[in-house]
């Protein structure tokens, strides 16, 4: 049941830190994350009427674009209270800070930055489809940030739902040590409740709203399954708890509370995933998920200290939650609010933050004042005076902030490890419809680029064209739509362009000389480099100058020149990746040498070497999954082959065919329309960036010709 969080402890904090849970709901697109969030808010008493995603009425889908499309675009933060009825945390009001994240790969940055600041996660899977491609991406992101998790198998009411197949998928495809905490009673239309493997009872729902259910002894029809899976659960957690292991080996009975404590310990180790079946749409199983969040996911106190670095960038320290110290926290998201201006979503890792306090930003070396503090429920906001360790809140006031900035006191001067984001894979030109829109377009793009680390804006110096880059067609489509709605800018956009890359396959020596003489002081810079492939490791530049043939003060300008030259390759002018440069020789003039001359020498030396090092062009390859009725399988596979796709796997289950393929991004424009046409609107697909591969010779010629006709990229 819901609990009010009004009783303060001695520090002034509403809820003690050990009774706080910061968790995210993450999954593949259309697995039911937002519907689950809506049910959580309903059962917790935050809302009194359930809003549906398909009606555009879900609390956490507050953007117009989300309501129209029925998808989540931006992560939404909500807070509520929950109290479990029994177990170690019985009758203790807990505070839950929840972030509902998008499932579409174009908005993967939202998942990335949310998982960076969350303590735990609920991974949602579809009981029919099981583990899907974006499920794998989200799981990898959870592993990257060491996020303890529980799994929720949603949509048990759907025809073809198979709980145990989904659990098997988590084990085999995600390598997660998954074990049911509950097992379903029935599936599809006959899904009526759950068997609790910990407490040894059944829950059978009485109403469609799911508030009322009967708690009954395990029935004879479910007894065999109950005993089988309870024993497997006890055996699994005995690896993490010696007392349970002793009882299990001795054949002794394990109590519900002992089992809960062992499951919690196992979950926090990151090597165990408890699984719960349910149907959020039919209001079954959500309360059990909330109980599991309280019982098994960590509080901020359960986690190791957050890694941070002193201002020298090398001294590593740990930041532990403590209300009685100066505040330290991470800005993980920016949002332009039409009413209050820029909102900075902030996770307080240590200390107590008060309204009106000044915080120091180690990146800018500036102090920012926090004029207002808020707790968010999607777009509804509650003003607060103080935020404590472990809180997720929104700040109003800080101006020069980017995603990943640390805010602390000037005396602390530490930097928390920021989240990392993938590079954009697609670009297109954009221009205002009228001259009057020019300034509004510039302001809008600047604001949107501040909010979204995977969205980039650049200008072609020769043509004056503005280029926008992002994670996919939908991503850029939403950007253009937001410009129109939020910033009142009518803009025209060109056909998306692909972010190709260049690299080298051989070794080469390059010489760069920049010599200018025109009465008086001239310019002289001379650098020589050796380059070699550096697969998968980015660009490495090594200074191997001996004997001072290039003075120390000219090494950095030479490196700057090499970095600048890598932005424009020799085949078609695309950025060059994955190569190693050794600066091996050069010369200087005591009077005429300058930083500019050596920067130019670095540019010329790299260009010379790249041309000789067997350069190749790389194109982004997308991992594509198409789900279609079986009768359209042949047409869809034939179409993917025509797009230069390579079929990786094909699986048919209950008349539905799932096709996995690797397809070049260049051939995937407009695929949403084509796949609907091929399947009479019955197929769906998802795609995400996978890797870069060499462009075939026949396609290369066309790209080079197009690039030679187009203005140079900058």
């Amino acid at each position: 049941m819901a609990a009010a969080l009004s009783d303060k402890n001695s520090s002034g904090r509403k809820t003690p830190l050990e009774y706080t849970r910061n968790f995210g709901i993450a999954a593949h697109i259309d697995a039911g994350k937002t519907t689950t969030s809506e049910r959580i808010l309903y059962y917790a008493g935050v809302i009194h009427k359930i809003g549906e995603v398909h009606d555009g009425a879900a609390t956490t889908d507050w953007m117009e674009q989300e309501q129209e499309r029925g998808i989540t675009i931006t992560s939404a933060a909500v807070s509520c209270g929950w109290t479990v009825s029994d177990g170690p945390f019985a009758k203790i009001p807990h505070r839950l800070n929840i972030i509902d994240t998008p499932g579409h790969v174009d908005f993967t940055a939202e998942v990335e930055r949310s998982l960076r600041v969350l303590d735990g996660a609920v991974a949602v899977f579809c009981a029919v489809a099981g583990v899907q491609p974006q499920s794998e991406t989200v799981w990898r992101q959870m592993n990257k940030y060491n996020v303890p998790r529980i799994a929720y198998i949603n949509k048990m009411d759907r025809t073809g739902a198979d709980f145990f197949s989904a659990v098997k998928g988590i084990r085999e495809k995600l390598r997660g040590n998954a074990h049911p905490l509950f097992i379903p009673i029935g599936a599809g239309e006959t899904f009526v409740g759950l068997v609790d493997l910990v407490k040894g009872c059944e829950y059978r729902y009485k109403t469609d709203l799911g508030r009322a259910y009967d708690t009954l002894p395990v029935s004879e029809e479910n007894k065999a399954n109950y005993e089988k899976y309870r024993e497997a659960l006890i055996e699994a957690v005995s690896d993490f708890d010696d007392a349970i292991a002793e009882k299990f080996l001795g054949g002794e009975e394990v109590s519900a509370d002992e089992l809960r404590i062992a499951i919690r310990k196992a979950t926090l180790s990151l090597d165990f995933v408890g699984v719960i079946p349910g149907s959020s749409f039919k209001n079954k199983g959500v309360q059990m998920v909330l109980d599991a969040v309280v019982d098994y996911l960590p509080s901020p106190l359960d986690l190791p200290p957050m890694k941070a670095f002193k201002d020298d960038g090398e001294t590593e320290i740990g930041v532990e939650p403590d209300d009685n110290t100066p505040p330290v926290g991470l800005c993980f998201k920016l949002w332009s609010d039409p009413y209050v201006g820029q909102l900075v979503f902030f996770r307080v890792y240590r200390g107590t933050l008060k309204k009106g306090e000044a915080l120091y930003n180690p990146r800018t070396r500036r102090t920012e004042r926090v004029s207002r503090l808020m707790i968010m429920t999607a777009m509804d906001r509650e003003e607060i005076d103080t935020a404590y360790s472990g809180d997720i809140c929104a700040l109003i006031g800080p101006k020069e902030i980017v995603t990943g900035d640390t805010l602390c006191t000037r005396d602390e001067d530490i930097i928390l490890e920021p989240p990392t984001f993938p590079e954009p894979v697609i670009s297109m030109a954009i221009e205002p419809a009228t001259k009057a829109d020019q300034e509004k377009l510039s302001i809008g793009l600047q604001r949107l680029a501040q909010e979204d680390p995977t969205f980039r804006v650049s200008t072609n110096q020769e043509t004056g064209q503005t280029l926008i880059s992002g994670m996919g067609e939908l991503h850029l489509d939403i950007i253009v739509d937001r410009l129109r709605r939020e910033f009142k800018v009518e803009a025209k956009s060109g056909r998306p362009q692909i972010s190709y890359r260049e690299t080298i396959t051989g070794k080469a020596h390059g010489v760069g000389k920049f010599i200018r003489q025109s009465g008086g002081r001239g310019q002289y810079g001379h650098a020589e480099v050796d380059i070699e492939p550096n697969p998968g490791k980015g660009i490495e530049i090594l200074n191997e100058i001996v004997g001072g043939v290039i003075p120390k003060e000219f090494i950095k300008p030479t490196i700057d020149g090499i970095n600048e030259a890598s932005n424009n390759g020799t085949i078609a002018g695309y950025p060059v990746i994955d190569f190693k440069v050794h600066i091996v020789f050069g010369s200087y003039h005591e009077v005429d040498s300058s930083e500019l001359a050596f920067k130019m020498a670095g540019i010329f030396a790299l260009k010379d070497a790249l041309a000789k090092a067997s350069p190749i062009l790389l194109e982004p390859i997308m991992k594509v999954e198409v789900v279609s009725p079986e009768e359209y399988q042949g047409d869809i596979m034939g179409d993917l082959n025509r797009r230069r796709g390579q079929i990786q796997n094909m699986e048919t289950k209950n008349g539905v065919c799932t096709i996995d393929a690797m397809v070049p991004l260049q051939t995937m424009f407009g695929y949403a329309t084509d796949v609907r046409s091929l399947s009479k609107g019955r197929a769906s697909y998802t795609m995400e960036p996978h890797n870069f591969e060499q462009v075939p010779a026949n396609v290369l010629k066309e790209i080079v010709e197009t690039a030679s006709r187009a203005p140079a990229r900058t």
Side-chain angles (χ1 to χ4, degrees), residues 79 289 632:
S79 295
V289 172
Y632 306 112

Side-chain angles (χ1 to χ4, degrees), residues 124-145:
V124 184
F125 299 88
C126 172
V128 180
V131 175
Q132 297 166 279
Q134 190 64 10
S135 314
E136 297 179 39
T137 304
V138 167
W139 200 267
R140 281 197 304 271
Q141 288 169 313
M142 291 181 193
N143 289 341
K144 175 178 172 182
Y145 294 113

Side-chain angles (χ1 to χ4, degrees), residues 418-679:
T420 56
F421 300 102
E423 288 293 312
V425 296
I426 193 168
S427 304
M428 67 184 186
I430 188 168
E431 59 184 47
T434 66
K435 287 245 177 176
D437 284 330
Q438 181 69 54
E439 189 177 343
K440 286 195 288 184
L441 175 67
S442 176
I443 291 168
L445 289 174
Q446 184 185 349
R447 289 261 185 88
L448 293 171
Q450 268 185 325
E451 289 174 13
D452 186 348
T454 58
F455 173 61
R456 307 278 170 82
V457 182
S458 57
T459 305
N460 187 306
Q461 299 297 337
E462 292 196 10
T463 64
Q465 268 190 318
T466 300
L467 303 177
I468 57 175
S469 307
M471 298 305 295
E473 284 182 277
L474 179 61
H475 188 192
L476 296 183
D477 182 34
I478 296 291
I479 292 285
V480 174
D481 197 34
R482 286 188 62 194
L483 283 169
R484 181 170 58 82
R485 297 194 200 211
E486 293 173 34
F487 300 96
K488 312 298 181 214
V489 179
E490 290 298 331
K492 295 180 286 189
S493 51
R495 187 177 184 274
Q497 301 295 311
I498 297 172
S499 296
Y500 291 100
R501 296 286 185 269
E502 298 184 21
T503 193
I504 57 171
T505 56
K507 297 182 178 181
H509 181 77
V511 178
K513 287 188 177 180
F514 183 74
I515 304 171
R516 296 284 184 276
Q517 197 65 50
S518 57
R521 184 173 173 176
Q523 295 281 3
Y524 182 91
H526 167 213
E528 298 188 17
V529 299
D530 289 333
I531 64 171
E532 60 183 304
N534 197 27
K537 294 180 182 173
I539 300 172
E540 288 182 52
I541 303 173
L542 306 175
N543 172 23
E544 295 178 0
I545 293 296
V546 291
V549 291
I550 298 178
K552 278 185 182 176
E553 63 267 28
F554 296 138
I555 295 296
K556 186 178 182 302
T558 306
I559 292 172
D560 290 343
I562 290 168
N563 278 320
E564 189 172 309
S566 70
N567 292 328
N568 298 93
T570 56
I571 300 175
Y574 289 100
V576 189
I577 60 169
D578 293 347
F579 65 94
K580 189 182 284 190
V581 183
H582 306 264
I583 306 173
V584 293
F585 190 66
S587 62
Y588 72 103
H589 188 280
E590 286 190 3
V591 176
D592 291 351
S593 286
S594 66
E595 290 189 2
L596 173 64
F598 272 94
K599 182 178 181 181
M600 296 305 297
I603 291 173
F604 294 158
L606 187 69
K607 292 280 188 193
D608 183 43
L610 287 174
K612 303 173 188 170
S614 306
I616 57 171
L617 191 67
L618 304 173
E619 64 181 341
I621 304 295
M622 310 303 282
K623 184 178 182 183
V624 179
E625 182 194 71
V626 186
V627 179
S628 163
E630 201 173 354
E631 65 245 51
Y632 306 112
Q633 172 193 324
D635 290 341
I636 287 171
M637 288 178 67
D639 182 64
L640 288 171
N641 285 326
R642 281 191 292 277
R643 294 171 188 270
R644 297 195 282 125
Q646 295 181 348
I647 308 296
Q648 304 291 306
N649 188 37
M650 193 184 66
E651 195 176 289
T652 303
K653 184 176 162 188
N654 300 325
V656 175
C657 180
T658 302
I659 302 165
D660 295 321
M662 297 296 180
V663 193
L665 175 60
Q666 185 244 343
T667 67
M668 288 299 288
F669 292 129
Y671 186 64
T673 307
D674 293 344
V675 79
R676 278 198 293 268
S677 172
L678 286 168
S679 63

Side-chain angles (χ1 to χ4, degrees), residues 320-366:
E320 298 187 51
D322 180 355
D323 288 344
N324 302 311
T325 55
V328 176
L330 187 75
C331 305
F332 67 94
K333 178 180 166 75
L334 307 182
W335 191 258
S336 294
D337 185 285
Y339 304 107
V340 297
Q342 181 169 271
L343 283 172
V344 179
F345 286 78
F346 189 69
R347 164 69 192 263
V348 185
Y349 278 104
R350 189 176 75 194
T352 302
L353 174 61
K354 290 184 169 58
K355 184 169 73 172
E357 195 165 346
L359 291 176
Y360 176 67
N361 184 340
R363 180 184 63 83
T364 61
R365 303 287 177 195
R366 291 173 65 104

Side-chain angles (χ1 to χ4, degrees), residues 16 245 272 297:
F272 176 89
L297 289 186

Side-chain angles (χ1 to χ4, degrees), residues 117-288:
V117 298
L118 291 169
D119 303 330
V122 176
V124 184
F125 299 88
C126 172
V128 180
V131 175
Q132 297 166 279
Q134 190 64 10
S135 314
E136 297 179 39
T137 304
V138 167
W139 200 267
R140 281 197 304 271
Q141 288 169 313
M142 291 181 193
N143 289 341
K144 175 178 172 182
Y145 294 113
N146 295 321
V147 178
R149 70 214 69 159
I150 55 177
Y152 174 49
I153 310 297
N154 190 24
K155 303 194 179 184
M156 283 300 302
D157 60 301
R158 292 264 300 272
T159 303
D162 188 336
F163 173 73
F164 298 107
S165 173
V167 174
K168 185 181 175 189
I170 296 172
R171 287 182 185 157
E172 293 179 355
K173 293 183 180 177
L174 304 179
R175 303 193 184 285
N177 183 19
H179 290 271
L181 304 177
F182 299 79
I183 54 175
I185 302 173
E189 289 182 6
T190 63
F191 176 58
V192 293
L194 296 83
V195 178
D196 189 332
L197 301 180
V198 175
K199 285 171 66 175
C201 62
E202 284 184 3
Y203 305 113
R204 288 182 180 260
Y205 285 86
K206 294 195 285 190
T207 67
D208 282 345
L209 279 177
R211 275 199 177 279
Y213 53 82
D214 289 324
T215 304
L216 306 164
V218 179
S219 60
E220 283 303 316
E221 62 180 307
N222 293 317
K223 199 123 196 166
N225 260 351
Y226 162 72
E227 288 172 354
K228 172 186 171 183
Y229 286 104
R230 189 174 200 271
E231 185 176 345
L233 176 63
I234 293 170
E235 184 179 0
V237 297
S238 66
D239 291 340
F240 305 91
D241 190 300
D242 292 341
I244 297 284
E246 248 179 75
K247 285 197 167 188
F248 176 70
L249 293 170
E252 296 176 51
E253 186 57 37
V254 177
S255 72
D257 279 358
E258 287 173 321
L259 190 49
R260 278 195 190 93
I261 290 165
I263 293 169
R264 180 176 181 78
K265 202 182 288 185
T267 304
L268 298 187
S269 76
L270 298 172
D271 289 327
F272 176 89
V273 181
V275 191
I276 304 159
S279 167
S280 296
F281 183 55
K282 292 296 173 86
N283 310 299
K284 295 179 174 73
V286 177
Q287 297 101 319
M288 291 71 194

